[in-house]
Every structure is written in C-alpha cells, then in structure tokens.
C-alpha cells in the first residue's frame, strides 16, 4: 500500500491542517456573502474533491475565497440566492471554454498592478463591511457607503450593550489571530483562525453574551440546483456582466495564486490551461448545487505546502474531511458567533491590501502605483467589475504611452544645417507632435534628420516622414539628409 502511495503520511497530515484552516474560512465567506453557511462548506468540498482530482496545479487548494465575497454579495442582493447557482454554473462553463481554447496562460499577462489594486479594493470593502457585521449592525450596500458610514456605526455601537459585546468578540478574534503567531510551535499546530473561533464560541457560551450565531439549515436543505426561473434570467443583459466578472476574476485570482504557490515548492509546475479547466469544472459543479463560486485560495494552498504536502492527495482528503464534518456535525455551526467570523474576514481583508507593494512601486514605478490606487478606489466607489475594467483600461493607456515615448531634439547652431535627432519609439500616437515640430523648421535651411536613435518606427510615421522630407526638399534649397535606423 505504502509503495503505491509513498507520501501518504505527509499528505494525510497536511490534509488535516488544510481542513482546520478551511472550516472557519468556508463558513465566514458564506455568511459574509449573504448565503447559508453550509454553502461555503459545499464549495470547499467541491474544491477539494472535484478540482483536487484534476490536473493543473498539484498542491493548490480551492474553495470559497474572501476575494469574491463582495461580488457574490452584490449578485445575491441583485438577483437572489436562487439565481446564484445559475451565475456560478455559467461562469464555470465560460472558464471551461477558456481553458479548452488555451486562454488560461494569457491571464499571466494581466498587469500585476491591476490585480493588486483589485485585491486592495476588495480588502477595503471587506474590512468596512465586516466591521458592521462584528457590531451586529446592518451595513450600507455600496462600498463607499460602508466606509463613509463607519463613524456613525461606531457611535451607534457605543450606545448599545449588545453591539459592544458583539464588537468585543470580533476585536478579540482579530487579536487572537494576530497574536497566535507568537505562541509556542506546539500550540501553533492549531490554525490561528480556528483557535480564535473556538475561543470566541467558548466565551459567548460561558458568559451568555447577547451575540448572534450562525443560522443552520442543514446540508441537504441549502442545496438548490438552478431552476427554470433562474435560467430565464439569462435573457436579460444585466446578469451577463456578473457572469463574466465571476469567470474573469475567479480565473485571475486562481492563476495568480498558482504562480505564487509554484514559488513555494520544488514539485511540478502549474499547467495553466489545465488548471483553468479544473477551476471551470469545479465551478460548474458548484453552480449545479447552487453553491458559492470557488477559486484557488493562497491561504489554504500555502498551509498545504508548509504542512509538507507532496501530491494532490492532500487537497482531495481535505475535501473528504469537510464532507464528513458537514454531514456529521452541522449543529456545531450553530454555536459559532457571527462576529468571530467577521473578525476572521477583517484579518483576511487586511492581508489582501498590498502595503509593501504600494510603497515599493511608488519609489520605482509611480505610474504602476497610481494604477493600483485608482483601481482600488474605483472598486470601492463603483463596484468590483467596473473598477477592474477601469484599472485594465489605465494599464493599456499607460503601456501605449510608454510604447510611444519619443524624444525629439533640434540643434540649430545658426550656421550650417539644422540637425534633428529622434530617439525612442515613433508611432502614430506621436505623429502630430513630430510633424508640427518639423513643419515649423525654416524652409530655406538644409536639414539633417537622424533616425538612428529610434527603437521602433511604425508604418504611419515612416510614410509621414518620407512625405515631409519630399515636400521640404522641393521647397528648400537642399534636400533633406536622412540617417536611417
């Protein structure tokens, strides 16, 4: 037996660690998304067993992710929980198509500043929204409203004993997670998030605190395959923007996570198109079950690698443990305080904000830092999908601007020919400026046009320069002398 599975012991132990990390995150993401807690476990089960069995990335672990919380909450608010499964199903089918057509590897070309800006914006919205949940208050719907309303929320919390007790549990949860890293190594074998949830649950029960707990409906009770009414929503154009957003953002997050996980181990590298197909298959199954969308999750994946996993068996086994937990101990979910889950997500949202990257980018690439910040602000001010589109548009504009960077130097010593030096990239984007400068030169002086410093000269620019040289040579006293690239 062991000869067939030489790493069974390592993978078994790693699967236990990943399972313990996954439970509070699956439940927390579900509650924050506005759906029953069990649906988060269903997505974790599918991510472990279905996606875990497929080729692509051997050690990456998939499940419900904090990065999609904001988008899912918006979709549930607009279309309802019953339509969520259909949205996830169509997003999964779109991912499958992108994988089969070899589009997966192209996600590696997305500007890193846009991705980090997306994560930053999501992190800010998650933190702001979960502060309300930690205090037991209703959060405003928009991201900007959540942030602007925080002072008023704190004022309301200070005037309510129940809100203060709830907020104390949330703050305590964050404190335990942060301080857990300083505990002895033997203690840290229990994941900090799980320890924080257990301690919060014990505190609420011991002191009989007036704190909301997770509502439990039972695993079979929450599974709702998409019905005919849900598919009828496809006739409206509004829902397709959400479907595309689910597919693109889930794919980008998964494939960027794969790149990060590959840097953590020396095993087989990720096959991006196959990983896209695996993610698509998982989301298709999640959609059929009416569950949350899934992505690869860097927190679980890094825990898997650090725990010593060697093969995909660890992630499949973690899905099996989630299934057994959801089937055998569903009543345990009803004991978990909601503010404890909010605290977990506040911490997760904080880790999504790339503080170091912003500082480093500002020092070396201010343009990239600006794209990151504008993307994040756009997500907070508008919504995730449009915020990402704004970031991508800015990245394209910046690239076009840099690709057309041109330096033009005119040297006129008063006697002899006027010397014109062009260096950089001469493209049609810079053509008006080039021609304006050339046509302003005296027509009764000889001109030497030096193009040897150009890295690129596109067809439009070359043709325009040839026409200008011909016109000037006809009207001037000497033909234009051109030094070509």
């Amino acid at each position: 037996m062991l000869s067939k599975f030489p790493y069974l012991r390592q993978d078994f132990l790693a699967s236990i660690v990943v399972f313990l990390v996954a439970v509070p995150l699956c439940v927390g993401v579900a509650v924050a998304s506005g759906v029953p807690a069990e649906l988060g476990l269903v997505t974790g089960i599918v991510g472990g067993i279905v996606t875990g069995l497929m080729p692509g990335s051997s050690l990456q672990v998939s499940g419900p992710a904090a990065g999609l919380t904001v988008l899912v909450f918006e979709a549930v608010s607009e279309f309802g929980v019953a339509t969520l499964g259909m949205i996830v199903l169509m997003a999964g089918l779109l991912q499958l198509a992108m994988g089969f057509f070899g589009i997966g590897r192209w996600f590696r070309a997305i500007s890193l500043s846009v991705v980090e800006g997306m994560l930053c914006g999501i992190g800010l919205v998650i933190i702001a929204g979960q502060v309300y949940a930690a205090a037991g208050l209703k959060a405003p719907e928009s991201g900007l409203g959540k942030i602007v309303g925080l002072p008023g929320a704190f004022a309301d919390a200070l005037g309510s004993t129940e809100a203060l007790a709830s907020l104390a549990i949330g703050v305590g949860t964050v404190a335990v997670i942060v301080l857990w890293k300083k505990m002895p190594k033997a203690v840290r074998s229990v994941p900090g998030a799980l320890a924080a949830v257990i301690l919060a649950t014990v505190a609420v029960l011991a002191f009989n605190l007036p704190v909301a707990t997770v509502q439990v409906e039972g695993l079979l009770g929450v599974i709702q395959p998409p019905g005919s009414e849900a598919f009828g929503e496809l006739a409206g154009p509004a829902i397709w923007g959400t479907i595309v957003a689910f597919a693109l953002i889930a794919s980008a997050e998964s494939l960027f996570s794969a790149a990060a996980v590959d840097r953590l181990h020396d095993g087989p590298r990720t096959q991006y198109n196959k990983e896209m197909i695996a993610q698509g298959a998982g989301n298709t199954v999640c959609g059929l079950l009416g569950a949350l969308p899934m992505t690869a999750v860097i927190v679980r994946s890094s825990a898997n690698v650090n725990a010593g996993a060697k093969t995909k068996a660890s992630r499949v086994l973690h899905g099996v443990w989630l299934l057994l937990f959801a089937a055998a101990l569903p009543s345990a979910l009803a004991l978990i305080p909601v503010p404890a889950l909010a605290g977990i997500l506040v911490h997760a949202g904080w880790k999504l904000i790339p503080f170091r990257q912003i500082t480093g980018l500002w020092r070396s690439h201010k343009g990239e830092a600006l794209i990151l910040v504008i993307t994040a602000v756009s997500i907070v001010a508008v919504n995730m999908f449009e915020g990402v589109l704004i970031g991508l548009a800015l990245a394209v504009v910046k690239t076009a601007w840099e690709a057309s960077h041109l330096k033009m130097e005119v040297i006129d010593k008063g006697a002899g020919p006027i010397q014109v030096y062009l260096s950089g990239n001469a493209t049609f984007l810079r053509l008006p400026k080039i021609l304006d400068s050339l046509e302003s030169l005296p027509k009764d002086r000889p001109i030497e046009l030096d193009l040897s410093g150009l890295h690129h000269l596109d067809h439009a620019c070359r043709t325009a320069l040839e026409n200008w040289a011909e016109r000037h040579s006809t009207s001037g006293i000497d033909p234009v002398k051109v030094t070509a690239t």
Side-chain angles (χ1 to χ4, degrees):
M1 177 71 175
L2 290 177
S3 61
K4 293 183 179 180
F5 302 97
Y7 301 111
L8 182 60
R9 180 177 180 276
Q10 295 97 316
D11 288 334
F12 177 82
L13 294 176
S15 72
I16 298 296
V17 173
V18 178
F19 161 70
L20 295 175
V21 171
V23 169
L25 286 174
C26 286
V27 176
V29 169
V31 173
S33 300
V35 302
E38 293 92 336
L39 287 182
L41 292 173
V42 171
T43 298
I45 293 165
V46 174
I49 298 176
V50 177
T51 303
L53 285 170
M54 300 185 71
S57 176
S58 58
L59 299 181
Q60 182 163 252
V61 183
S62 299
L68 282 176
T69 302
V70 177
L71 189 59
V72 174
F73 185 84
E74 291 175 354
V76 170
S77 299
E78 183 175 356
F79 303 106
V81 177
T83 308
L84 178 63
M86 187 274 300
I87 295 174
V88 177
L89 170 62
M90 298 306 295
L93 293 175
L94 184 56
Q95 285 182 299
L96 283 173
M98 289 190 291
F100 283 121
F101 284 105
I103 298 175
R105 63 190 183 90
W106 288 103
F107 277 84
R108 303 172 72 184
I110 295 177
S111 169
L112 189 58
S113 297
V114 175
V115 175
E116 290 178 341
M118 177 188 76
L119 295 176
C120 182
I122 292 169
L124 290 171
V125 175
I126 288 175
I127 291 170
Q130 292 309 302
V131 167
Y132 292 89
L137 302 173
K138 181 176 176 56
E141 292 187 2
S142 68
L144 191 59
K146 289 181 175 69
I147 293 176
V148 173
L150 283 177
F154 281 117
D156 292 340
L158 291 175
S160 168
T161 304
E162 291 81 3
L164 282 175
S166 184
L167 191 59
I169 293 295
V171 172
T173 301
V174 176
V176 170
I177 295 173
V178 172
L179 296 175
W180 200 253
K181 298 176 183 178
K182 299 181 180 180
M183 300 295 285
K185 187 175 181 180
V187 177
R188 282 188 280 117
S189 60
V190 177
L194 182 64
V197 167
I198 292 174
L199 291 173
T201 303
V202 170
V204 169
L205 293 175
F207 296 101
N208 195 27
L209 297 177
V211 172
T213 56
V214 174
Q215 299 296 312
V216 176
E217 298 182 26
L219 195 61
L220 295 178
V222 299
I223 294 177
Q224 297 181 7
S228 57
E229 291 184 2
F231 281 98
E233 294 278 359
L234 294 175
I239 202 167
W240 283 100
T242 302
I243 292 171
V244 172
F246 270 48
L248 295 182
I249 293 173
S251 300
E253 188 169 343
S254 295
L255 298 183
F256 273 96
S257 172
V261 173
D262 280 350
R263 291 196 291 268
L264 299 177
H265 66 91
D266 298 323
R269 304 293 90 180
T270 296
Q271 298 172 285
Y272 284 87
N273 290 322
K274 289 184 178 180
E275 180 62 18
M276 176 76 85
I277 292 172
Q279 294 294 324
N283 273 320
T284 300
V285 174
C286 285
L288 291 172
L289 297 174
L292 290 169
M294 71 171 198
T295 72
V297 185
I298 188 62
V299 174
R300 287 172 227 180
S301 302
S302 59
N304 190 39
V305 174
N306 294 333
K310 298 296 182 182
T311 71
K312 65 177 65 177
S314 61
R315 61 187 191 178
V316 175
L317 284 172
H318 119 276
V320 173
W321 309 144
L322 284 175
L323 177 59
L324 293 176
F325 173 81
L329 298 171
S331 57
L333 296 177
L335 300 175
I336 299 175
V338 171
L341 299 177
I344 290 174
L345 287 172
V346 166
H347 182 260
W350 182 264
K351 293 180 71 174
L352 288 176
I353 302 174
F355 292 103
R356 291 183 179 179
Q357 290 86 334
I358 294 173
T359 304
L361 278 176
W362 186 254
R363 292 197 190 105
S364 56
H365 302 285
K366 287 184 172 57
E368 294 293 330
L370 195 61
I371 290 174
L372 190 157
V373 171
I374 292 175
T375 302
V377 171
S378 299
I379 288 173
V380 172
V382 189
N383 58 50
M384 185 189 297
F385 185 48
E386 293 180 14
V388 170
L389 290 181
I390 290 171
L392 289 173
L394 286 175
V396 171
V397 170
K398 177 180 176 292
T399 301
W401 179 266
E402 290 180 345
S404 63
H405 181 71
L406 178 74
K407 182 179 179 181
M408 184 173 183
E409 186 178 7
V410 178
I411 299 177
D412 184 1
K413 297 180 180 179
I418 298 173
Q419 297 173 320
V420 180
Y421 295 93
L422 293 179
S423 59
N425 299 289
T427 69
F428 69 93
L429 294 174
R430 298 287 181 160
L431 194 51
K433 181 180 178 181
I434 296 172
L435 291 178
D436 286 345
S437 299
L438 292 176
E439 289 170 354
S440 67
L441 297 175
K443 293 184 173 53
D444 57 351
R445 297 275 301 281
I447 294 176
E448 294 179 356
L449 182 59
D450 189 345
L451 307 180
S452 60
L454 291 177
H455 303 302
H456 174 69
L457 177 64
D458 71 8
H459 177 70
C461 257
R462 182 182 296 276
T463 301
L465 289 174
E466 289 173 352
N467 291 337
W468 169 82
E470 183 179 348
R471 292 196 307 273
H472 191 91
S473 298
T474 302
S475 59
I477 58 174
D478 289 311
V480 175
K481 181 181 178 181
V482 179
T483 304
T485 57

